[in-house]
Amino acid sequence: MKRTLSLLLLLGSSALAAPVVFVKTYVDGAELLQWTEGPGGQLSGTYQLVAITEQGTRLSTQNAAFTGIRQGGAVSVKFTQTVLGTSSTILWTGTLAAQTLTLNRPQSAGIAFVTFTKGSLAAYNSAVARFQVQVQRQHKAAQQAVQERAAQQAKVEAQTRAVRETNADAAAALSTAAQLRHDVQDDLRALSDVSALFRNDLASLETDQRILLKDAETARGSKDCYDVHTIQGYDLAQLTGYGLSQLTGYDTSELGRAHAAADRDLAAAAALQLTLKSVAQNAAQLQGITPLSTVRWAVDLEALHAAASQVGGWAAQLQEAQAQATAERAGALARAQSLITEAQQVAASLSCAP
């Protein structure tokens, strides 16, 4: 029997009196033939098929009217339908013996023999009602199964998303750490170069001061005004002019730029340490509760912890280098001022005989 699904159609009594009812029941459906018989064995009736289909979630109903004839135990039933002006006829033939009606029904491949049993509309409708309850129960179970599958799929997607995002966060954090390492190395070189500038320019200032002191010894012996004026003019200007401006101007500006870059990288290091620790903590927690993820874990917890420690070490090195460069500047400026003060005193003590 073809399994199709529709709504229950309750059959009432025919307009003709005392219809004869025949029923064929299946596990998942039922068929009904009812007719009234007129003069000469002329039959007029209706046929109905109800069947459970669509994985048991729907009840299908098919109805058709027929005419026919009964001659003793021989029965023939004819169905006529018209589609787009074209009529077609289906003929079932069979035998009626006591309470049993056996019909031969043409199929696409051969003849099907179907046996109906004499029954009642009430019994038939009761069977259809049971099918309807069965369908409703199965439909509810199917809906629940759909909801459960959807919930399960949501869990899979959520866990997969969590793993994918954490993998990406870990990779990004480690990549940022690698870049920060290069940036810190650049900062350390810049601070070291600035410290060298202060030392070199201070050395130049010390050289100029020695020249001034040497010239002053010569001038004291000769009392030559040209020599004295050279010391008090040109030699002293070398110390208080270009030499000092290198320390307080260019060198200090370079130190400021190096400090600014280092400060930016120190802030980045502090933020990165928090990120590395957070990603490692999230990954450690999630790895035990994401069994449904369709993405494999790619987080190296040891690498994250090691990177966090390294970042802290780089920050400490950078802060130490900043402190050293700042101290180098302060020492160079203090020494420069001492040299200048001494030179000024020496120059002021000189006099000449015109």
Side-chain angles (χ1 to χ4, degrees):
M1 182 187 71
K2 182 180 179 182
R3 305 304 198 260
T4 54
L5 176 66
S6 81
L7 299 177
L8 170 65
L9 175 63
L10 297 178
L11 298 178
S13 60
S14 172
L16 298 176
V20 180
V21 176
F22 294 93
V23 178
K24 170 67 176 178
T25 59
Y26 305 88
V27 174
D28 55 355
E31 292 180 87
L32 176 141
L33 277 168
Q34 67 166 351
W35 70 60
T36 56
E37 186 172 341
Q42 296 295 318
L43 304 179
S44 176
T46 56
Y47 166 81
Q48 183 176 79
L49 165 68
V50 294
I52 298 173
T53 188
E54 295 184 12
Q55 291 76 48
T57 60
R58 186 168 177 268
L59 192 63
S60 163
T61 304
Q62 297 181 26
N63 296 284
F66 64 84
T67 58
I69 188 169
R70 183 181 68 82
Q71 295 179 333
V75 176
S76 64
V77 175
K78 181 173 66 176
F79 298 89
T80 302
Q81 62 178 0
T82 301
V83 178
L84 298 178
T86 302
S87 296
S88 62
T89 299
I90 298 174
L91 183 64
W92 296 349
T93 61
T95 59
L96 176 60
Q99 304 295 311
T100 301
L101 173 64
T102 301
L103 292 176
N104 307 321
R105 303 198 298 202
Q107 303 292 314
S108 58
I111 302 295
F113 302 94
V114 182
T115 300
F116 290 79
T117 302
K118 194 171 184 180
S120 67
L121 288 176
Y124 174 75
N125 285 339
S126 178
V128 172
R130 288 195 303 272
F131 292 141
Q132 189 174 49
V133 170
Q134 181 179 340
V135 165
Q136 291 171 345
R137 187 183 303 114
Q138 184 62 28
H139 180 70
K140 183 177 180 180
Q143 284 184 318
Q144 183 176 355
V146 169
Q147 293 171 352
E148 290 175 352
R149 286 195 298 271
Q152 183 72 0
Q153 182 61 30
K155 289 181 181 179
V156 171
E157 292 175 357
Q159 292 184 21
T160 299
R161 183 168 56 254
V163 173
R164 182 182 292 112
E165 290 176 354
T166 304
N167 284 345
D169 289 344
L174 291 175
S175 176
T176 301
Q179 180 59 51
L180 181 63
R181 177 175 178 271
H182 292 297
D183 294 341
V184 169
Q185 289 175 340
D186 290 342
D187 293 337
L188 293 173
R189 281 192 293 269
L191 290 168
S192 177
D193 291 344
V194 170
S195 294
L197 284 177
F198 280 107
R199 290 193 297 271
N200 292 337
D201 288 335
L202 178 61
S204 296
L205 203 64
E206 289 174 336
T207 298
D208 291 340
Q209 196 237 30
R210 286 195 296 271
I211 292 172
L212 184 146
L213 295 179
K214 181 180 179 181
D215 290 346
E217 288 299 321
T218 302
R220 282 193 182 95
S222 67
K223 299 291 186 178
D224 188 294
C225 286
Y226 176 80
D227 292 339
V228 172
H229 291 160
T230 298
I231 294 167
Q232 293 175 339
Y234 177 78
D235 287 354
L236 195 58
Q238 285 294 100
L239 288 170
T240 59
Y242 176 79
L244 182 62
S245 68
Q246 282 295 102
L247 293 171
T248 59
Y250 178 78
D251 294 356
T252 297
S253 295
E254 287 297 295
L255 179 61
R257 282 190 284 272
H259 271 311
D263 287 340
R264 287 193 297 271
D265 289 336
L266 283 172
L272 180 57
Q273 266 194 307
L274 293 176
T275 297
L276 287 164
K277 292 177 181 178
S278 176
V279 171
Q281 182 178 10
N282 289 341
Q285 292 174 344
L286 288 172
Q287 283 183 356
I289 58 173
T290 54
L292 300 178
S293 173
T294 60
V295 174
R296 295 174 60 88
W297 276 103
V299 176
D300 187 338
L301 292 177
E302 291 184 1
L304 290 173
H305 290 307
S309 178
Q310 290 169 348
V311 169
W314 300 336
Q317 289 178 357
L318 194 53
Q319 289 172 328
E320 183 179 355
Q322 281 186 300
Q324 289 177 349
T326 299
E328 192 82 43
R329 175 182 180 276
L333 291 179
R335 175 63 177 157
Q337 190 58 52
S338 175
L339 294 172
I340 291 171
T341 298
E342 182 182 5
Q344 287 173 334
Q345 290 173 347
V346 169
S349 69
L350 296 176
S351 60
C352 64

